[in-house]
Amino acid sequence: MRKFLVAGNWKMHGSRASVAALVEGLLEQGTMPCQTLICPPVIFFDQLQRQLVGSSIGLGAQNLDWHDSGAYTGEVSAAMVLEFGCSHVLVGHSERRSLFGESDAQVGLKVEKCLSSGLTPVICIGESLAQRQADETFAVVQRQLDAVIRQVGVTALRHSIIAYEPVWAIGTGESATPEQAERVHAQIRQYLAKQDESLSQNIQLLYGGSVNGENAADLFAQENIDGALVGGASLKVDDFLRICRAAV
Ligand code: 13P
């Protein structure tokens, strides 16, 4: 039986004060109703690691460099995030791919580094609007998945999470319908089943793209949706909690 996971991707938002207030609001509710992860900018890791002591909320990074250390200005290593209690890393988010030129091959290297460091990669995949309109949705998703599988092998995905995030649904307020999302999730699971049946049954497949307190329950009712990667709504205590409660 797969567990639900709700992960908040805070992107480049927050200040010392707003981050403290947001987490205080979450902690006031007591134990989180489902497995919960927040992915703040790494600059807040120290502050949040202290604030999250004794809580079930996990800490994730939004990105990672695949080198151990060295002259890589602006980058952050696996060892660095581990030192601050980080357990998960978003890898290959569409904003990293489109705005920062991250390639499929680099995503593979980052996943490999996560796995060899004991971090769980949340591998983000998804098509653009033009690709969907050209009926290329699964071809794109498959290409992105294959690049990772080529690098680490399919079995390594046992320690990974996949987030299907159609680019056209990110930050637009226009979520994929539960049926649209479920269709792609089922295709991903079937594709993985051809290579490793038990992996395909156990791997968590999150949906991301304009998930909010209103639409989460319908998305989570789908057979192959095991949670959400939430952007904008993860910055609001009430919305984020509503999504987490829908995941029970
Ligand atoms: P929104 O929930 O703001 O659409 O963002 C989704 C996302 O990119 C999560 O990684």
Side-chain angles (χ1 to χ4, degrees):
M1 186 64 185
R2 296 183 298 271
K3 283 195 198 139
F4 278 97
L5 166 64
V6 175
N9 175 8
W10 292 3
K11 307 194 180 182
M12 198 173 73
H13 293 288
S15 63
R16 270 186 191 277
S18 73
V19 159
L22 176 48
V23 170
E24 196 178 307
L26 298 176
L27 296 179
E28 265 171 17
Q29 306 302 308
T31 310
M32 294 301 286
C34 68
Q35 189 190 354
T36 310
L37 184 70
I38 53 173
C39 304
V42 287
I43 190 103
F44 299 119
F45 267 19
D46 183 44
Q47 173 183 341
L48 285 170
Q49 189 185 24
R50 292 163 204 259
Q51 201 177 358
L52 289 173
V53 168
S55 133
S56 63
I57 299 175
L59 204 50
Q62 297 174 16
N63 185 28
L64 188 81
D65 193 274
W66 64 90
H67 298 96
D68 287 332
S69 64
Y72 303 104
T73 302
E75 295 296 287
V76 169
S77 73
M80 290 173 188
V81 298
L82 280 164
E83 217 179 330
F84 290 90
C86 175
S87 56
H88 292 65
V89 182
L90 307 183
V91 182
H93 190 281
S94 68
E95 287 150 18
R96 300 282 335 154
R97 293 178 191 262
S98 67
L99 302 174
F100 302 99
E102 209 163 284
S103 66
D104 286 345
Q106 288 172 333
V107 172
L109 290 169
K110 290 180 180 199
V111 170
E112 185 175 43
K113 177 49 73 178
C114 285
L115 294 171
S116 66
S117 309
L119 290 159
T120 302
V122 179
I123 304 163
C124 303
I125 54 178
E127 82 289 1
S128 67
L129 184 59
Q131 289 165 332
R132 172 162 283 259
Q133 286 168 344
D135 220 6
E136 291 170 2
T137 298
F138 195 68
V140 171
V141 162
Q142 184 180 328
R143 188 200 76 221
Q144 293 170 335
L145 271 180
D146 282 346
V148 173
I149 293 171
R150 247 194 324 275
Q151 187 66 32
V152 299
V154 73
T155 315
L157 294 185
R158 281 170 197 275
H159 306 289
S160 306
I161 294 168
I162 293 173
Y164 168 59
E165 297 207 304
V167 177
W168 48 271
I170 294 178
T172 59
E174 188 205 341
S175 168
T177 64
E179 295 72 26
Q180 283 173 320
E182 169 62 16
R183 183 150 188 273
V184 180
H185 281 227
Q187 286 175 312
I188 294 170
R189 218 180 283 289
Q190 281 157 16
Y191 183 65
L192 293 174
K194 285 191 223 145
Q195 304 179 59
D196 187 332
E197 172 66 31
S198 86
L199 158 82
S200 76
Q201 288 309 312
N202 291 319
I203 193 166
Q204 286 173 309
L205 302 183
L206 312 184
Y207 167 76
S210 297
V211 177
N212 57 41
E214 290 283 310
N215 60 20
D218 288 343
L219 287 160
F220 295 163
Q222 304 299 312
E223 190 182 334
N224 288 293
I225 298 182
D226 308 315
L229 181 54
V230 186
S234 71
L235 297 167
K236 299 176 205 143
V237 173
D238 290 348
D239 256 6
F240 193 60
L241 284 171
R242 225 175 130 196
I243 297 167
C244 293
R245 289 193 189 110
V248 183

